[in-house]
Amino acid sequence: MSNKFACSIKRIRFDENYEPANSTRLTTNFANLARGESREENLRRTLAMINNRFNSLATVDNPKGDRYSLEIDIISAEIDIEGNGQTFPFIETLKSTIIDHQTGERIEGMIGNSFSSYVRDYDFSVVLPALGCKFNEMPEDFGDLHGKLYLHLVNSDVFKAEFKKQPVICLSVSTTKTYYQTANVHPVLGVEYTNDDYSRTDAYFAKMGLSVRYFKPQGANAPLAFYCAGDLLRDYTDFELISAISTMESFQRIYRPEIYNTNSPAGVVYQPSLSYGDYSLTRVVYDRVERGQLAVKQGKWTEENFIKPYKHILDEWAANFKVETAQKNQAA
């Protein structure tokens, strides 16, 4: 008996031997680093950055700053639209496990962190340009299908069997918005920032049932955007939060050094800018121009291999999908 819209999950270890799978988006943080002549050195240095950052925040009983390291798995979720065994690579995120080298204990880290989606490439790189949307403009139904597919995945029995908690997605703050420091300070996440208007990305993630908060951890140069379905401050352990910060801040220092690897931290009023000149480069090699070009190619590939072939099925499924049902299942 066919099982339409069935989800499946695969794990791939992200280490210095990592090689992207054929189904992986090449613009993904982890995949982009694992290409070219510098791939092994890129991966080794990135993992060292992540581990060092984790230890800089997990300082209790850690005098040498080397007690912990992270094992990171790439979680690849695929979806079978017709129930015929033909799957489409839908979402990739990261799952970390914390290794305590003093006790030998393995501790749960965050699920989520980075977020990779072919359908998101299609929405931003194909749909918006085709509609002629101007800066921060978008149609009312923008992201509806993607949001419903995401909710379908994270509320599926397959996902719940693998993970005890809902993902927390951590991204760079938007260069189109101004952020204001608040008096709220979290012992792990650091100083909270706010803004007076959702960015287009914030609105897109809201369709996935995720709300956003912005925090600048101790020692960081800029706030990070944390997207969460529940209560970010109460639902996750300190170690889970530190694992998300150390992983994603390291990626952002590589990809957006103008924001996250500057020589001075964000002030009380902060306007992120990729034209800011006072920053340092990491020793990790990547091609940001190529990364942008690949997003367009991958969006068009998604249109030809997923959106167009399954349009009628996707439209009917989305019309009957109830967000309230998914949320009730999540709470059950």
Side-chain angles (χ1 to χ4, degrees):
M1 188 174 182
S2 66
N3 186 7
K4 293 182 178 180
F5 285 82
C7 300
S8 57
I9 290 175
K10 300 177 182 177
R11 292 174 181 252
I12 304 173
R13 179 60 49 82
F14 178 70
D15 57 20
E16 62 185 62
N17 299 312
Y18 165 67
E19 294 186 9
N22 292 333
S23 60
T24 293
R25 291 168 62 247
L26 295 180
T27 54
T28 301
N29 290 334
F30 36 86
N32 187 261
L33 298 176
R35 303 171 62 214
E37 296 180 358
S38 303
R39 57 174 304 279
E40 289 187 9
E41 193 63 25
N42 277 349
L43 294 170
R44 193 175 300 116
R45 287 173 174 167
T46 300
L47 291 167
M49 288 171 62
I50 292 170
N51 290 334
N52 289 338
R53 183 57 170 141
F54 187 96
N55 282 287
S56 76
L57 293 171
T59 57
V60 177
D61 292 334
N62 187 13
K64 294 183 178 180
D66 61 357
R67 177 170 176 170
Y68 305 102
S69 64
L70 294 187
E71 281 185 1
I72 299 176
D73 287 328
I74 300 166
I75 306 302
S76 299
E78 300 182 346
I79 190 165
D80 183 350
I81 297 299
E82 295 182 296
N84 59 7
Q86 299 296 314
T87 60
F88 180 82
F90 175 43
I91 282 174
E92 283 186 315
T93 63
L94 300 177
K95 172 67 173 68
S96 60
T97 301
I98 302 147
I99 311 301
D100 185 337
H101 296 286
Q102 181 171 306
T103 66
E105 185 180 5
R106 297 173 62 85
I107 305 164
E108 288 292 322
M110 189 70 77
I111 171 66
N113 303 292
S114 181
F115 180 78
S116 170
S117 165
Y118 277 112
V119 178
R120 185 184 177 202
D121 275 345
Y122 165 74
D123 282 337
F124 279 90
S125 300
V126 177
V127 173
L128 292 181
L131 294 173
C133 291
K134 297 179 182 179
F135 176 73
N136 250 10
E137 288 183 346
M138 57 185 173
E140 186 176 347
D141 63 350
F142 183 66
D144 281 1
L145 173 62
H146 182 272
K148 291 175 180 180
L149 287 169
Y150 175 84
L151 287 168
H152 175 67
L153 168 67
V154 298
N155 290 288
S156 68
D157 291 338
V158 169
F159 190 90
K160 290 180 178 179
E162 292 272 352
F163 309 108
K164 298 176 182 177
K165 297 183 180 180
Q166 290 285 299
V168 172
I169 310 300
C170 183
L171 302 179
S172 169
V173 287
S174 172
T175 57
T176 68
K177 303 299 176 187
T178 300
Y179 298 85
Y180 303 90
Q181 189 179 112
T182 72
N184 195 29
V185 181
H186 186 271
V188 172
L189 293 168
V191 179
E192 184 164 21
Y193 278 70
T194 187
N195 65 20
D196 54 8
D197 187 22
Y198 260 16
S199 70
R200 191 156 57 186
T201 296
D202 294 342
Y204 191 80
F205 275 72
K207 296 286 183 76
M208 299 158 58
L210 307 178
S211 58
V212 64
R213 295 181 74 168
Y214 313 98
F215 285 92
K216 185 171 78 69
Q218 182 179 4
N221 284 328
L224 292 160
F226 295 88
Y227 296 86
C228 178
D231 189 330
L232 179 66
L233 307 190
R234 297 182 62 181
D235 295 348
Y236 301 90
T237 67
D238 287 354
F239 271 9
E240 285 173 324
L241 296 174
I242 293 174
S243 71
I245 294 167
S246 58
T247 301
M248 295 314 300
E249 187 181 286
S250 297
F251 281 131
Q252 296 300 348
R253 285 175 60 198
I254 294 167
Y255 286 115
R256 291 198 160 186
E258 302 93 334
I259 298 175
Y260 291 96
N261 211 37
T262 61
N263 296 319
S264 58
V268 175
V269 178
Y270 179 58
Q271 171 65 66
S273 173
L274 293 178
S275 62
Y276 186 74
D278 187 20
Y279 64 91
S280 300
L281 292 173
T282 65
R283 297 171 63 196
V284 177
V285 180
Y286 80 105
D287 187 335
R288 190 157 65 189
V289 173
E290 181 193 45
R291 193 166 178 246
Q293 294 169 342
L294 284 171
V296 177
K297 292 180 180 179
Q298 290 167 169
K300 292 179 179 178
W301 181 85
T302 303
E303 181 179 34
E304 294 300 321
N305 292 274
F306 184 69
I307 301 298
K308 286 183 176 179
Y310 299 121
K311 181 176 181 359
H312 296 302
I313 298 175
L314 291 169
D315 287 347
E316 182 179 359
W317 176 85
N320 293 309
F321 180 85
K322 302 298 181 184
V323 176
E324 294 79 6
T325 302
Q327 291 172 335
K328 287 179 182 178
N329 290 339
Q330 178 179 322

